[in-house]
Amino acid sequence: LASIELFLSLLGKYLALSFLSHHGTKSFEQATAEGDIIIGGLFPIHESVNVTVNYDGSENQICDRFSTANLVQSLIMVQALEEINQKQELGNLTLGYLILDSCGDVTTALRKIPSFMKGNCNTSAQQSSPVLAVIGGYYSEIAIAVTRLLNLEYIPEISYGATSGLLSDKTRFPSFMRTVPQDDHQARAISEILDNNGWTWVGVLTTDGEYGRYITERLWYYTNQKGICFAFTSVLPDDLNDYSLGKSIESTVKTIIDNENVSVIVSFAKPDHMMYIFQKLLNNPQGTRRVWLASDIWSQSPEILNTKKHTLSDIGTIIGVTFKSGNTTKFERYLDDLNENPNHHKNNPFLSTLHGLTSSEELKTMIYPSAVFSIELAVKAIAQAVEDLCTDRDCKTKLAGQSWTERQHRALRKAKFHMDGKNYSFDPHGDLNAEYDIILWNQTSESLDVHDIVAHYSILQSSLTFISQEGNVTSKCTDSCQPGYSKTSVSGQPHCCYQCEPCFKEFESNLNILMILCSSKCLPRKIDFLKWGDVYLIVLLSFTSLGAVLTIVVGIIFLAHWNTPVVRSSVGPISIILLLSLMITFTSVILFGGPPNSYQCQARQVVFGLSFTLCVSCIMVKSFKIVLAFEFDPDTQNVLKKLYKPYLIIAVCMAGQVVIVTTWLVLSPPSTDSEITQDNMKLIFCNEKLIPAFGAMLAYIGLLALICFGVAYKGRKLPDSYNDAKFITFAMLIYFISWIMFGPVYVNVTDKYIPAVEMVVILISAYGILFCQFFTKCYIILCKKEANTEKSFRRDIRNYSRDRKGSEDELSSKGIENPTFQLVCVLKYVISN
């Protein structure tokens, strides 16, 4: 059985090679250079074949559409091989080449392939040096056919442009490798570009070849996952000489013009296809400005647009996906040398086509940096494999035969080669996955610049990184639904085409206004309020907690030193009530945070209003007490003593505020309310409703504070031991300033931070009283104990009496007998009450 299989294999190989070698009698143009090892090259130097039929039924096949850009690509291979020979990277081994023209046609390419295989089939002396590997072909359709034939001799094919994902199948294509990523990655990169720009309604131009079919299918797979739809897909003949090409171009142009709302078109067509399409579109009076997303096959082909008649702006914006770019400096020097020494390449008949009409500067404009990278890397890979094989072998002789090419194939798959300081190798599928460059075409004064890199796509990370972005183009089937609307499907239309229906009042569409996609249903609106986790609320609650703790500490200090002159002169019981009211005030701040409800809305203003009224009432009582103690006029003093009923004063003051808040709660109590914000969120807040009542509550506290300020200001020059009046004045000034600022801020703030404004003002007022009323006394109690004695107080009063302008004579003249005795009575009165 094994013998039969071997016989059939050899018979099939013989018949295939005999047919291809003898089909036609024409000899083919080829560029050659002698060497110990020959590297084959297959380039589409002509891009199509023109077939004519003679009268006798025979066919004439002529390659046409000469491509200078593709000739330049073949020279990249020549330059890379010559550089290796010049540097003697392989020691005494030299690399030669045999370059053929595929003419962009599968049949033509297959007819020329036996030229690569003759040296391996005939171990006699027809060709002294074998072809060990072939660089090319560029198109996937050609590469698939060629690699199947080359595999009969185990000759590896390394493509610099064939990107069809089918070629990654090593069961079907074991001898194929490439220095470019396969199209699945390019399709994913294009889908990321579309998604990143919010383009959900796009047109697609493709061909009926292997490349076009595969990449279009993969693009549909990835875009479908991102909610991107194809408005149309136009398929063009892959063969540029196909008789139906003209009609296909006309149909495609009509489709583009008819779809006015399609602003973005992805094209996998060939450069000539795009040249014909642009020519037709530019002749259309309706205008053709679009965003064209070019695949690698034409993204660096500026010749498709006639810049003598039109500019890039006439056609729109062109964004291209290209393979990783290489360094073109060495190759540009090579082209300069080529122009100066035309006899250097007499063995390259393709150069004679130029007839000296093209200068090196013109050739430089046709350099594709991505081709430089891919072709040079293919040459490097072959050279490294040869070096690995020849370390322990004599590679100068007897290299022909299947066993050598088979070993070369295995060495290539394992080779680790480097270029421009980076290491590369083929993966198990024979692919080399470098990144993609995203380019933007730019119009210059004389030509088109197709080398402006604006982004990179990493295959390993599947991520798109923009260096810069251009413009804001919208391409959608239906405009995005506005907030408050949701999309409903339209029968017979893709999911990107929909109608926008209004949502109910309590619902919103889940439209993210930063995205192009909109909702497919109405959802309850997102609720917004001053949340417990909000950083501002956390800061305010931290200050609230600190104030409450300090209030407790002060209370403990006062109780622990209850019988000392400082505490007794501060009217100890009133001070304790004042501290209690401050604690309640700090607590009321907590009611301004979190999700509002009706009970919370009512409680927070009532608790604050009553607790702060109690604070100010206690301070007012203390103000009266100090002024009363230092009032030496007997008549005035008698009147003040009759009026000075501290607890009754506090009760009367509190009663006034109770009447105000009770009226407020009965007539129109505060409650929760909501409104729709600019961010389309439902803001829940407390509506004070009866604003006059809210104003009356604050005004009543302000009136009491004003009385405190007036009384305290009168006693501002009292002895240092009785400087409560001075600090009461400061505390009331802080209160007035903070609440005056509160008014305009409260009116102008409209979002969830309205409660935070009042919280800040309450905290400032409470801290002002706590610091001014108690911290100096705590300092004396804890740090200056010698000042907390009756002796110290008596000394302060005597000094005060001696420094008064009225002196004892003046007091006596007013009918006040024995002023010194009176001052002693003041001391006893103050520290005993």
Side-chain angles (χ1 to χ4, degrees):
L1 182 61
S3 299
I4 295 174
E5 289 179 351
L6 178 61
F7 172 76
L8 292 175
S9 174
L10 293 173
L11 179 62
K13 184 188 303 185
Y14 172 78
L15 292 174
L17 292 176
S18 297
F19 172 77
L20 291 170
S21 297
H22 298 92
H23 194 284
T25 58
K26 260 192 173 179
S27 61
F28 300 113
E29 287 184 327
Q30 57 187 30
T32 61
E34 290 297 324
D36 298 315
I37 297 173
I38 303 298
I39 308 300
L42 188 64
F43 295 86
I45 297 174
H46 291 84
E47 293 191 324
S48 65
V49 174
N50 185 21
V51 180
T52 59
V53 181
N54 299 321
Y55 291 109
D56 59 359
S58 61
E59 292 183 353
N60 288 328
Q61 296 184 351
I62 301 174
C63 294
D64 59 4
R65 290 190 175 88
F66 178 81
S67 173
T68 306
N70 290 342
L71 172 60
V72 169
Q73 292 182 14
S74 71
L75 295 177
I76 296 173
M77 171 181 161
V78 174
Q79 182 270 327
L81 291 171
E82 291 184 357
E83 183 183 29
I84 290 175
N85 291 337
Q86 290 170 2
K87 293 182 177 180
Q88 295 185 331
E89 293 182 11
L90 298 178
N92 62 346
L93 284 176
T94 58
L95 298 178
Y97 57 83
L98 171 61
I99 296 177
L100 302 177
D101 181 6
S102 71
C103 299
D105 178 66
V106 174
T107 303
T108 303
L110 288 175
R111 286 174 177 169
K112 297 182 179 182
I113 289 304
S115 298
F116 293 141
M117 305 174 71
K118 287 188 297 184
N120 295 322
C121 292
N122 304 313
T123 56
S124 55
Q126 281 193 15
Q127 184 170 311
S128 59
S129 300
V131 173
L132 291 187
V134 174
I135 297 176
Y138 180 70
Y139 299 116
S140 296
E141 197 86 4
I142 294 176
I144 288 173
V146 167
T147 191
R148 282 175 170 155
L149 189 56
L150 291 175
N151 191 50
L152 295 174
E153 294 284 340
Y154 289 96
I155 299 177
E157 177 187 12
I158 305 179
S159 176
Y160 64 95
T163 54
S164 172
L166 296 176
L167 288 163
S168 294
D169 186 351
K170 294 302 103 178
T171 303
R172 298 168 61 187
F173 307 103
S175 297
F176 179 82
M177 284 163 278
R178 54 187 162 198
T179 53
V180 291
Q182 64 133 309
D183 282 328
D184 183 79
H185 301 300
Q186 184 172 190
R188 179 176 289 185
I190 292 174
S191 71
E192 289 291 335
I193 296 172
L194 295 174
D195 186 50
N196 184 79
N197 289 278
W199 295 329
T200 61
W201 190 238
V202 300
V204 177
L205 308 183
T206 188
T207 66
D208 60 5
E210 189 58 50
Y211 167 80
R213 288 194 299 268
Y214 180 83
I215 195 170
T216 302
E217 186 275 328
R218 298 313 296 164
L219 179 65
W220 181 89
Y221 173 79
Y222 288 117
T223 54
N224 190 55
Q225 293 178 343
K226 298 179 180 296
I228 300 170
C229 302
F230 290 179
F232 61 84
T233 303
S234 293
V235 182
L236 301 168
D238 192 65
D239 185 356
L240 294 174
N241 283 321
D242 191 286
Y243 70 93
S244 64
L245 179 61
K247 290 184 178 180
S248 297
I249 296 293
E250 292 283 353
S251 175
T252 298
V253 170
K254 185 178 184 302
T255 300
I256 293 172
I257 294 173
D258 290 344
N259 287 269
E260 295 180 356
N261 63 337
V262 178
S263 302
V264 178
I265 298 176
V266 181
S267 174
F268 304 118
K270 291 182 176 180
D272 284 272
H273 290 139
M274 296 309 301
M275 180 176 65
Y276 298 146
I277 290 172
F278 284 165
Q279 287 174 355
K280 295 285 186 182
L281 286 173
L282 289 169
N283 292 330
N284 189 282
Q286 298 181 19
T288 58
R289 291 178 58 82
R290 299 286 197 281
V291 173
W292 301 88
L293 194 46
S295 70
D296 66 278
I297 202 168
W298 68 277
S299 60
Q300 290 185 308
S301 302
E303 67 274 7
I304 65 174
L305 187 63
N306 188 346
T307 54
K308 294 181 180 179
K309 294 182 179 180
H310 303 283
T311 63
L312 180 61
S313 60
D314 295 331
I315 205 68
T317 301
I318 298 180
I319 300 172
V321 179
T322 70
F323 306 124
K324 182 177 174 61
S325 299
N327 189 333
T328 63
T329 305
K330 291 184 294 184
F331 185 59
E332 288 175 356
R333 288 199 298 265
Y334 177 83
L335 292 180
D336 289 333
D337 182 63
L338 183 70
N339 195 48
E340 295 173 3
N341 301 283
N343 295 328
H344 186 60
H345 287 286
K346 287 184 178 180
N347 58 344
N348 190 340
F350 302 118
L351 286 174
S352 64
T353 311
L354 300 177
H355 296 297
L357 300 176
T358 304
S359 66
S360 63
E361 293 303 320
E362 291 174 300
L363 291 177
K364 288 179 186 178
T365 63
M366 300 180 186
I367 297 175
Y368 295 179
S370 59
V372 172
F373 175 83
S374 302
I375 296 172
E376 281 191 5
L377 202 59
V379 173
K380 292 285 186 182
I382 295 171
Q384 184 62 52
V386 170
E387 182 179 352
D388 294 341
L389 280 174
C390 296
T391 52
D392 55 356
R393 292 182 180 87
D394 178 15
C395 296
K396 294 283 286 185
T397 60
K398 295 182 180 181
L399 294 181
Q402 176 176 316
S403 61
W404 172 256
T405 53
E406 190 173 355
R407 288 197 297 269
Q408 170 75 358
H409 170 254
R410 289 197 298 266
L412 267 174
R413 295 289 298 273
K414 297 178 181 179
K416 297 184 183 300
F417 41 98
H418 63 276
M419 189 172 75
D420 297 333
K422 292 186 178 180
N423 297 322
Y424 300 92
S425 62
F426 295 107
D427 68 11
H429 302 288
D431 298 336
L432 194 149
N433 293 322
E435 64 182 14
Y436 288 102
D437 290 334
I438 313 301
I439 61 172
L440 178 69
W441 286 28
N442 293 308
Q443 180 78 51
T444 63
S445 57
E446 299 179 355
S447 61
L448 292 174
D449 175 18
V450 296
H451 306 308
D452 181 16
I453 299 175
V454 296
H456 299 288
Y457 179 80
S458 170
I459 293 176
L460 295 178
Q461 300 177 357
S462 297
S463 62
L464 184 67
T465 305
F466 276 91
I467 302 172
S468 63
Q469 281 184 288
E470 294 289 330
N472 183 21
V473 177
T474 300
S475 187
K476 299 174 290 183
C477 178
T478 306
D479 287 338
S480 302
C481 294
Q482 296 298 317
Y485 289 79
S486 68
K487 68 179 183 181
T488 57
S489 59
V490 180
S491 177
Q493 295 291 329
H495 62 83
C496 294
C497 303
Y498 46 82
Q499 291 178 337
C500 294
E501 300 290 343
C503 296
F504 294 108
K505 183 179 180 180
E506 292 301 316
F507 292 81
E508 66 168 355
S509 63
N510 63 339
L511 169 66
N512 184 343
I513 59 176
L514 299 178
M515 304 280 291
I516 298 299
L517 302 178
C518 75
S519 169
S520 59
K521 60 182 179 180
C522 291
L523 300 174
R525 292 186 187 277
K526 292 182 180 179
I527 297 175
D528 197 18
F529 54 85
L530 189 58
K531 298 179 177 62
W532 295 116
D534 191 288
V535 63
Y536 295 105
L537 183 57
I538 292 174
V539 171
L540 292 175
L541 292 179
S542 299
F543 279 103
T544 300
S545 302
L546 177 62
V549 170
L550 292 177
T551 302
I552 294 172
V553 171
V554 171
I556 293 172
I557 293 173
F558 264 55
L559 291 174
H561 299 81
W562 185 257
N563 292 318
T564 61
V566 169
V567 175
R568 291 164 62 189
S569 66
S570 299
V571 193
I574 300 299
S575 293
I576 296 300
I577 297 174
L578 177 55
L579 289 170
L580 179 62
S581 64
L582 279 176
M583 176 64 72
I584 299 173
T585 299
F586 280 120
T587 304
S588 70
V589 174
I590 301 174
L591 298 175
F592 286 83
N597 58 68
S598 295
Y599 295 109
Q600 180 183 343
C601 292
Q602 296 172 21
R604 68 183 192 178
Q605 297 295 1
V606 170
V607 172
F608 162 67
L610 294 178
S611 63
F612 208 74
T613 299
L614 183 59
C615 282
V616 179
S617 299
C618 291
I619 294 173
M620 187 169 61
V621 167
K622 294 179 68 177
S623 301
F624 279 131
K625 169 71 176 291
I626 296 169
V627 173
L628 173 61
F630 287 89
E631 180 55 58
F632 299 117
D633 185 8
D635 296 332
T636 305
Q637 194 176 62
N638 289 333
V639 173
L640 291 175
K641 282 184 178 181
K642 292 178 181 179
L643 294 175
Y644 181 67
K645 305 295 181 183
Y647 299 106
L648 179 61
I649 293 173
I650 293 173
V652 171
C653 292
M654 288 295 296
Q657 191 66 283
V658 168
V659 170
I660 293 174
V661 297
T662 302
T663 304
W664 187 4
L665 294 177
V666 170
L667 295 180
S668 182
S671 62
T672 57
D673 202 349
S674 65
E675 64 180 21
I676 306 304
T677 65
Q678 293 180 350
D679 296 332
N680 200 33
M681 300 180 72
K682 184 178 181 181
L683 176 63
I684 299 180
F685 60 94
C686 286
N687 187 346
E688 315 302 349
K689 287 190 174 181
L690 199 60
I691 299 300
F694 180 46
M697 183 189 78
L698 297 179
Y700 184 77
I701 298 174
L703 176 63
L704 296 180
L706 188 60
I707 296 172
C708 288
F709 179 78
V711 175
Y713 186 78
K714 187 177 186 307
R716 67 188 184 283
K717 295 182 180 180
L718 296 179
D720 291 340
S721 299
Y722 304 92
N723 55 7
D724 262 10
K726 186 185 301 182
F727 289 112
I728 290 172
T729 303
F730 291 152
M732 292 303 101
L733 279 175
I734 294 172
Y735 168 81
F736 287 133
I737 292 172
S738 60
W739 283 95
I740 289 172
M741 293 173 59
F742 166 75
V745 175
Y746 187 82
V747 171
N748 288 290
V749 175
T750 57
D751 59 8
K752 64 181 179 181
Y753 293 107
I754 293 177
V757 176
E758 191 168 354
M759 293 171 70
V760 170
V761 178
I762 293 172
L763 288 173
I764 292 175
S765 303
Y767 269 106
I769 293 174
L770 183 64
F771 275 70
C772 293
Q773 284 293 295
F774 294 103
F775 272 33
T776 54
K777 294 180 175 57
C778 290
Y779 173 73
I780 294 173
I781 292 172
L782 299 176
C783 301
K784 297 186 68 176
K785 296 182 180 180
E786 69 280 0
N788 190 16
T789 61
E790 290 189 15
K791 180 179 180 181
S792 175
F793 271 62
R794 190 176 293 112
R795 184 175 61 252
D796 285 346
I797 292 176
R798 286 175 179 161
N799 292 336
Y800 171 73
S801 175
R802 185 168 52 251
D803 296 337
R804 277 173 59 93
K805 289 184 179 180
S807 68
E808 292 193 7
D809 295 336
E810 184 179 352
L811 291 174
S812 298
S813 66
K814 292 184 178 181
I816 301 176
E817 298 179 359
N818 199 351
T820 303
F821 174 75
Q822 290 275 27
L823 292 172
V824 174
C825 292
V826 167
L827 173 63
K828 292 182 178 180
Y829 179 80
V830 170
I831 63 177
S832 62
N833 288 279

